[in-house]
Amino acid sequence: MPERIAVLAYSGGLDTSCCLKLLEERYGYKVVTLCVDVGQPEEEIKECEEKARRYGVYDHYTLDAKEEFVKEYIFRAIRANAMYEGYPLSTALARPLIATKLVQLAEELGAEAVAHGCTGKGNDQFRFEAIIRAKAPHLRIIAPIRDLNLTRREEIEYAKKHGIEIPSESKKYSIDENLWGRSIEGGPLEDPAFEPPEEIYSWTRNPKECTEEEYVEIEFEKGIPVRINGREMDPVELIRECNRIGGRNGIGRIDIIEDRIIGLKSRENYECPGAVMLITTHKALEQLVLTREELKFKEIVDATYGDLVYRGLWHEPLREGLDGFIEKTQERVCGKVTLKLYGGSLWVVGRESPYALYSKDLVSFEEKEMDQREITGMVKYYGLQAALYQSIKRRLQ
Ligand code: ARG
């Protein structure tokens, strides 16, 4: 009789630690834990393995997926300016990658099931399960917290009984972090009238302390950032460097009410300095090189893209189709953008590109390159239909 193995997406937090024990105790599985490194703090990854072993897992795997996350997900998100309701997508962007790794490991080990620690109220259950079902329909999916309808208080009780570490008082927030952003929710933040205290932030300095301006130049090739202040960097380092620069200037704190997939409104806080800087500069470059028609259409494409990613539909053929359109537009998104950072704000103060459609010779008040008189006829019949409508209105009044 082969062993019944369940592979659990494990973070070391309370939810997934309870899952670990529940899977053994209530579901009768041998548990293999998987921690996918998408840029969460290093101590967290170490602690994750250490806890898994301490709680007696059958086996634990840590998988460094940072480079893949940047190249296959973050770079696409930059090219698509991927936002949802006003913030750059981060958690949603990492979930399909984590789900894919979970399925791969489960298949390698011949596991019967995969498991995750999502509750029945959030978005991640959709994001994980949609990908898992699409890639490996034969795998059983177990969501113990949702299955047993557990509250946080019940989890803490269960944890105490099973020797699971209880989060300290200081851990009153639920935090999800990857290279592209950090999200903080829960605890006192559940009151939307409550101002986020300074303690929730760890990537960004308090904007009121950022009293010296800093300039940064970001260079793109085909819509992908390649150099910061003239220095070429490998993809993971480049994202980290942007987070550091933006962070020390207090950039990228976002506090919003967000509409979750199931319709619940939730209060969310984000820190995403690098994402804000890179999407802002990328858009600025697009404004310089894309035509009005492309820009107008791409805005719809970008919004649709963000929405699909948020709703866990990374594997939608529409997403691939949109990527096809975006890739074509990005051939010309090459050049440099200069940002000024100060007091938690950022401004685009310069841009240049070999593909710029901007022409000083044409637009300048000082130049004769374009003969103004030639436009007279174009102006005369401009708004023809509106003029006809107004004349009919006058006649019938
Ligand atoms: N609301 C965001 C999303 O669904 C982030 C949730 C992250 N989870 C957390 N425990 N902070 O993408």
Side-chain angles (χ1 to χ4, degrees), residues 152 167-176 182-190 194-201 269:
R152 193 173 156 85
S168 67
E169 244 317 279
S170 62
K171 284 199 181 157
K172 45 185 172 237
Y173 308 105
S174 165
I175 293 170
D176 181 65
R182 181 168 178 271
S183 117
I184 313 107
E185 56 180 32
L189 297 170
E190 286 183 350
F194 175 76
E195 180 179 350
E198 204 46 40
E199 65 173 12
I200 73 162
Y201 302 109
N269 275 271

Side-chain angles (χ1 to χ4, degrees), residues 283 285-300 302 325:
K283 273 189 170 176
L285 199 54
E286 288 190 325
Q287 286 175 341
L288 185 67
V289 303
L290 298 184
T291 65
R292 167 164 61 185
E293 308 307 321
E294 285 176 307
L295 286 169
K296 210 161 66 174
F297 188 66
K298 188 162 183 293
E299 218 170 280
I300 300 167
D302 290 355
F325 164 78

Side-chain angles (χ1 to χ4, degrees), residues 68-251:
E68 186 175 350
F69 183 43
V70 176
K71 288 186 172 163
E72 301 297 326
Y73 295 83
I74 294 181
F75 283 170
R76 284 197 170 85
I78 295 172
R79 289 167 137 206
N81 304 308
M83 316 264 289
Y84 180 76
E85 295 186 345
Y87 79 95
L89 288 168
S90 50
T91 297
L93 201 58
R95 294 314 190 202
L97 174 60
I98 297 170
T100 304
K101 298 298 179 198
L102 197 63
V103 167
Q104 277 168 3
L105 182 60
E107 293 196 320
E108 271 167 41
L109 300 176
E112 179 182 302
V114 291
H116 61 75
C118 305
T119 70
K121 294 186 177 183
N123 294 320
D124 289 332
Q125 51 183 337
F126 294 92
R127 297 169 181 156
F128 280 135
E129 294 192 22
I131 298 279
I132 295 165
R133 276 202 189 85
K135 295 206 181 250
H138 56 280
L139 283 174
R140 177 179 178 194
I141 303 176
I142 312 175
I145 306 293
R146 186 184 63 201
D147 266 11
L148 302 166
N149 198 19
L150 294 180
T151 62
R152 193 173 156 85
R153 183 162 328 129
E154 289 165 339
E155 283 181 43
I156 291 178
E157 251 164 60
Y158 181 82
K160 279 184 187 155
K161 273 198 214 123
H162 291 83
I164 294 166
E165 219 173 280
I166 309 294
S168 67
E169 244 317 279
S170 62
K171 284 199 181 157
K172 45 185 172 237
Y173 308 105
S174 165
I175 293 170
D176 181 65
E177 195 169 326
N178 65 47
L179 277 168
W180 199 225
R182 181 168 178 271
S183 117
I184 313 107
E185 56 180 32
L189 297 170
E190 286 183 350
D191 174 3
F194 175 76
E195 180 179 350
E198 204 46 40
E199 65 173 12
I200 73 162
Y201 302 109
S202 91
W203 289 15
T204 54
R205 219 164 114 205
N206 189 335
K208 77 176 180 199
E209 288 163 17
C210 307
T211 52
E212 242 169 78
E213 33 179 67
E214 179 170 353
Y215 286 82
V216 52
E217 185 196 82
I218 300 176
E219 185 174 345
F220 290 85
E221 273 168 23
K222 299 195 174 172
I224 288 168
V226 288
R227 271 179 216 95
I228 306 295
N229 293 327
R231 201 153 62 85
E232 195 154 334
M233 277 181 205
D234 101 300
V236 173
E237 222 5 73
L238 185 141
I239 301 299
R240 288 206 157 128
E241 177 68 359
C242 286
N243 281 327
R244 276 192 294 269
I245 297 173
R248 67 179 176 242
N249 288 284
I251 305 292

